[in-house]
Amino acid sequence: MEVKTALIRDLESLLGKERVISHPTELLVYECDGLTLSRHGADAVVLPESTEEVSRIVKCCQGHQVPFLARGSGTGLSGGAVAAEGGVIVQMSRMATIIEIDYDDEVAVVQPGVINLHLSEATRPDGYHYAPDPSSQKACTIGGNVAENAGGPHTLKYGVTANHILGMTVVMPDGEIINMGGRHESILGYDLVGLFVGSEGTLGIVTEIIVKLTRNPESSKTFLASFNTVEAASNSVSSIIAAGIIPAALELIDALVIQAVESHLKAGFPQDVAAILLIEIEGLNATLSAQAGEIRNICHTHGATDFKEAKSEPERAQLWRGRKEAIGALGKVTPAFYTNDGVVPRSKLPEILEFDIETGKRNGLQVAHLCHAGDGNIHPIILYDHENETETKAAMKTSREILQRCIDLGGALSGEHGIGTEKLTSFSFMFNKTDEAQMMAVRSALSPSGKLNPSKIFPTGAKCGESKIRKTVAGGGWL
Amino acid sequence: MSETVTSPLSRTFHAEEKRLLQECIHCGFCLPACPTYMENGKEMDSPRGRLHLMESLLEGRMNLDSAFEEHMKLCLVCRACETACPSGVQFGHLMEATRQSIAEVKQKGRLERFLLQTVLPSHRWLSFLFTITRVIQILRLDKLSTVPPLSLLVPKKLRQLQLSLPTVPPRRFGRSYDVHYRAIRKQRGTVTLFTGCVMDHLFPHVHTATVRLLTWHGYDVTIPSDQACCGALHAHAGEKSMTSFLADQNISILDNCNSDYIVINSAGCGSHLKSYLTYIDSGISSRVVDLSELLAVIEMKPKAIGPTDPVAYDEPCHLLHGQGISTQPKTILEKIPEINLVPLKGSDRCCGSAGSYSITETEMSLKLLDAKMDDIEASGAAIVVTANPGCQMQLNWGVKRRGINVEVLHLAELLDKCFRIDPSYPTDPLVLD
């Protein structure tokens, strides 16, 4: 039986009953995002339709002293869009309008709930696209991309989300509405846009975003290179980068992932190989052939067994569908998996891939790879059975060992998924107490009450939720 | 998943269904493909959310309450999420299993039970009710029922149904005896045409056009007399015993016809029978094809001239998502000489018809229809082609509501019109006794 609290009644008077979700059954679906093992119940979910409404919701939550956070499509893989300490989820799915497309200034103004791919689809006929293309681009929102500073295969050439955001309208943790940045690059004052992008929704709720539009390349070529060992594939990646070539995308996919993809999606990946590289180059038509030849040579030098070009747009699209939806396809081969988001300097790629597989073996688990190889974002995927406690613990151990190794090699905890609730315990691998205190000082200045998206990013900043999380980690149920 | 919990779902979720449910890894790729999620932005009305609710109910974390039921009912079972899903989760199957469980626990309304159990499976009942409807339409009583005081007497759902129905033709297509049509000129093969219920009674002209097309292209066509409703609506409603009864009856009839192909020109029936056949592993499944699948492989004769007006193709969900058929109808249309095909934005999105959905979930259905009509108007099409009776009714109703000049045709009707330019094309197919 649902008992409406004063908070719910106030939210309903702001938005109407239809836009406030508070029934316990309905709230269950908001308990996790793309990371299913980190589950936390919210007290309410609200669906605002304007910046002003978001502001009123924020003020209402502060008035009731309850935590709150924004959520897009919930495709994130670090548990960033769950109510770790309960409270209110501000669901942005009804703020999904492309407000303006301006080709003269090469910008678009969008609401945060706009699906990443929808913006590129809207501008494609006119020869433009929105460059950051996370694998979940078919479903993730641009607001979520801003929060996590999302990457994607083509960020190798074009840069991550932060490189494509010019300005934003933000509802601050006290409900104040502020504008930052604009339609052009600016170097004056503090770079607030830079601060907010990647802040994992802990500093404010973005309600309008000015993004750069990127002109489509004159020409592009997509290649599929096959290898009999993962090592040969990763050595090719290092050599391509060392040769001074910057492909638009350079992805490594290993046999386990190929098997999952081909069991349902059928992208056309060869099934009798250890690894493939999906390589895309783009630019002026005249320059591509020489570059293609050079890449082909490098791959063959490292023992590529096959090197072929996608012959048509549908063939190219199918290869990319295979790559981008591979994570989802893993449901076919394993009851559960955990995607590690570690990063290493590109030269260390062969070393870390070998280490991952060895570590998995040592812990009795299989580790698959789906790497944004070009920028060293390795994405080892640890396969396990979530109903088997020993395996779950082993998976957690494997992931921590891999992350530790990434850091030792001069890399990072996360390339694009963020820390969220997921990497709280490994935060200290990368940041010391002073680093954390500096970041916490920024957060405390902007969000003094700490009610906005608590228990994310910082292990010591977390309050009651943190002990809950830690406890589950110790029990092996959470990863 | 704990095995000790007895969930209301456990009767229809066996090991296989539980395994299928596990294939969802919560990636969320299905969200933007789901018409109801895109309309109201609520996770409970997304495929991932619905699967999450199913799982929670199965795990005993919640009860089969009205909220659960509401979100399951709001699903169109358009299966667009299946096309979007990287893991190939068979959402439609899981939703049907869920609705079976709901049907076991909660009894349906009297009118719904009467329609599903008595009317749809019976050509007599259908003829009787459609004849009354025809009389009402001729006397313009249907218009009368929309204004007070009559509107107060007729139930809202019934009024909705009346309004959305097309003009009822004088007689249905099927007969009480088997009918055989002979191939024109050289015989290429044999076909059994599945006629269905709504299609048989409300769209006999589509069946006639289909027969003319098939005989003209060299097929003998048989129409077995005892065929019944395919049972798709029953499956969607969770009526398990009636679903199996109808499917078995149809399969035994179709199995007796030794034709090369069993052609279905209704996407909904085709999708249902095909998936039913997969589960019972019947020998006839390899012969069941949608009309467009068959027409795509035979060489269409060249004299056909397309309409000069712009044509758009709106993909029926149960053709595109249910059967994975998309290029065939498009290729057939593209091959029509001088056709002016225009792109239709959102042609892969449900029009809101979804079987009886337009009656049971009218509000959402109308929102989706409005979005569809906006796209149709923006496309500039004067002819919209579809391949399913439900879509045809819904789109026709959308056209009527807007008062715009757009013709809605089944693919078979459009092709039939194009071929008529040839003097040797049959006006009536040859009937063999």
Side-chain angles (χ1 to χ4, degrees), chain A residues 18 23 25-26 28-33 36 71 73-75 93-94 135 138-139 264 321 325 328 331-332 387, chain B residues 1 23 26-29 31-32 37 40-43 48-49 52-53 61-62 65 71 83-88:
Chain A
E18 199 270 327
H23 192 288
T25 300
E26 298 183 317
L28 277 176
V29 303
Y30 290 96
E31 68 185 357
C32 60
D33 55 11
T36 50
R71 176 174 164 124
S73 293
T75 55
S93 49
R94 292 206 185 173
S135 297
K138 224 167 85 170
H264 173 68
R321 185 171 185 210
E325 300 187 12
K332 277 279 181 220
E387 289 179 2
Chain B
M1 216 168 292
E23 283 186 346
H26 227 252
C27 69
F29 278 34
L31 266 57
Y37 176 77
N40 71 17
K42 295 179 178 175
E43 177 98 18
R48 179 175 71 175
H52 198 96
L53 289 176
R61 298 177 61 206
M62 57 179 279
D65 55 15
H71 298 299
T83 303
C85 179
S87 228

Side-chain angles (χ1 to χ4, degrees), chain A residues 373-432:
Chain A
D375 46 21
N377 191 187
I378 53 175
H379 287 170
I381 302 160
I382 303 152
L383 313 186
Y384 69 100
D385 181 352
H386 60 291
E387 289 179 2
N388 178 329
E389 205 179 320
T390 321
E391 277 203 10
T392 309
K393 277 183 184 164
M396 185 164 68
K397 182 164 175 273
T398 308
S399 177
R400 287 170 64 88
E401 286 172 14
I402 292 172
L403 277 186
Q404 185 64 61
R405 183 61 163 222
C406 288
I407 308 290
D408 293 346
L409 290 171
L413 284 179
S414 173
E416 54 185 12
H417 298 167
I419 291 168
T421 52
E422 174 218 356
K423 296 185 204 67
L424 286 178
T425 48
S426 35
F427 182 87
S428 61
F429 291 1
M430 188 157 172
F431 301 107
N432 62 29

Side-chain angles (χ1 to χ4, degrees), chain A residues 29-256:
Chain A
V29 303
Y30 290 96
E31 68 185 357
C32 60
D33 55 11
L35 180 78
T36 50
L37 282 167
S38 174
R39 298 187 182 204
H40 304 274
D43 298 312
V45 176
V46 291
L47 296 144
E49 289 172 1
S50 69
T51 301
E52 289 68 30
E53 282 186 351
V54 174
S55 166
R56 278 180 228 130
I57 292 164
V58 167
K59 285 177 184 162
C60 175
C61 292
Q62 291 285 21
H64 285 274
Q65 297 186 318
V66 294
F68 58 99
L69 69 142
R71 176 174 164 124
S73 293
T75 55
L77 293 168
S78 62
V82 294
E85 293 185 18
V88 178
I89 291 179
V90 186
Q91 170 65 43
M92 306 305 275
S93 49
R94 292 206 185 173
M95 291 180 68
T97 308
I98 298 173
I99 298 166
E100 188 192 345
I101 293 172
D102 176 352
Y103 293 120
D104 292 334
D105 289 337
E106 298 189 331
V107 298
V109 184
V110 301
Q111 286 189 312
V114 169
I115 308 282
N116 175 304
L117 186 63
H118 290 186
L119 180 57
S120 289
E121 279 173 351
T123 53
R124 188 182 299 137
D126 301 300
Y128 283 85
H129 69 289
Y130 174 61
D133 63 335
S135 297
S136 57
Q137 72 177 143
K138 224 167 85 170
C140 63
T141 63
I142 295 181
N145 295 167
V146 167
E148 302 298 319
N149 194 7
H154 288 81
T155 52
L156 176 58
K157 177 170 180 175
Y158 294 101
V160 293
T161 301
N163 303 101
H164 298 268
I165 306 298
L166 290 169
M168 297 190 294
T169 300
V170 178
V171 173
M172 297 301 287
D174 61 356
E176 193 190 349
I177 298 165
I178 66 163
N179 292 304
M180 51 183 76
R183 285 173 178 248
H184 51 81
E185 306 274 5
S186 169
I187 53 137
L188 301 175
Y190 288 149
D191 178 13
L192 291 181
V193 173
L195 174 65
F196 271 71
V197 176
S199 61
E200 302 195 24
T202 58
L203 300 181
I205 297 180
V206 179
T207 58
E208 217 169 282
I209 308 158
I210 306 172
V211 305
K212 280 186 206 169
L213 292 175
T214 304
R215 223 178 270 227
N216 293 349
E218 181 187 284
S219 180
S220 72
K221 286 179 189 290
T222 308
F223 304 99
L224 186 72
S226 309
F227 298 87
N228 279 337
T229 62
V230 175
E231 196 188 358
S234 59
N235 281 330
S236 301
V237 172
S238 300
S239 298
I240 290 168
I241 301 293
I245 302 168
I246 303 283
L250 181 48
E251 302 285 305
L252 186 151
I253 302 162
D254 76 3
L256 265 173

Side-chain angles (χ1 to χ4, degrees), chain A residues 240-468:
Chain A
I240 290 168
I241 301 293
I245 302 168
I246 303 283
L250 181 48
E251 302 285 305
L252 186 151
I253 302 162
D254 76 3
L256 265 173
V257 178
I258 293 173
Q259 185 200 333
V261 169
E262 290 305 312
S263 70
H264 173 68
L265 280 178
K266 308 214 186 314
F269 294 160
Q271 294 189 68
D272 48 354
V273 301
I276 53 171
L277 289 180
L278 189 59
I279 309 162
E280 190 155 276
I281 52 173
E282 49 181 50
L284 298 174
N285 213 357
T287 62
L288 289 191
S289 301
Q291 222 175 60
E294 211 174 331
I295 293 173
R296 180 195 305 265
N297 285 342
I298 291 172
C299 290
H300 280 307
T301 309
H302 288 288
T305 53
D306 191 24
F307 187 93
K308 61 174 188 180
E309 184 182 344
K311 287 183 193 66
S312 63
E313 183 50 37
E315 197 184 325
R316 174 185 175 270
Q318 197 56 19
L319 289 175
W320 273 114
R321 185 171 185 210
R323 164 58 190 89
K324 292 198 171 173
E325 300 187 12
I327 279 277
L330 285 163
K332 277 279 181 220
V333 295
T334 174
F337 62 85
Y338 174 62
T339 312
N340 179 301
D341 190 32
V343 184
V344 292
R346 291 175 289 210
S347 58
K348 307 289 185 197
L349 201 62
E351 195 179 332
I352 189 74
L353 295 190
E354 201 188 326
F355 177 83
D356 293 351
I357 294 166
E358 283 305 310
T359 310
K361 265 187 204 158
R362 204 171 53 244
N363 292 315
L365 295 172
Q366 283 187 301
V367 178
H369 282 98
L370 185 60
C371 321
H372 298 315
D375 46 21
N377 191 187
I378 53 175
H379 287 170
I381 302 160
I382 303 152
L383 313 186
Y384 69 100
D385 181 352
H386 60 291
E387 289 179 2
N388 178 329
E389 205 179 320
T390 321
E391 277 203 10
T392 309
K393 277 183 184 164
M396 185 164 68
K397 182 164 175 273
T398 308
S399 177
R400 287 170 64 88
E401 286 172 14
I402 292 172
L403 277 186
Q404 185 64 61
R405 183 61 163 222
C406 288
I407 308 290
D408 293 346
L409 290 171
L413 284 179
S414 173
E416 54 185 12
H417 298 167
I419 291 168
T421 52
E422 174 218 356
K423 296 185 204 67
L424 286 178
T425 48
S426 35
F427 182 87
S428 61
F429 291 1
M430 188 157 172
F431 301 107
N432 62 29
K433 286 285 162 202
T434 319
D435 298 334
E436 190 183 343
Q438 299 286 353
M439 287 189 235
M440 284 298 289
V442 174
R443 179 157 107 171
S444 303
L446 294 173
S447 177
S449 75
K451 291 292 178 198
L452 176 54
N453 210 8
S455 284
K456 308 287 164 72
I457 309 180
F458 308 110
T460 54
K463 290 172 188 158
C464 54
E466 192 222 8
S467 56
K468 204 161 60 190

Side-chain angles (χ1 to χ4, degrees), chain B residues 123-134:
Chain B
H123 283 298
R124 284 192 179 184
W125 265 108
L126 284 168
S127 290
F128 173 65
L129 288 178
F130 281 130
T131 305
I132 293 176
T133 311
R134 186 172 153 79

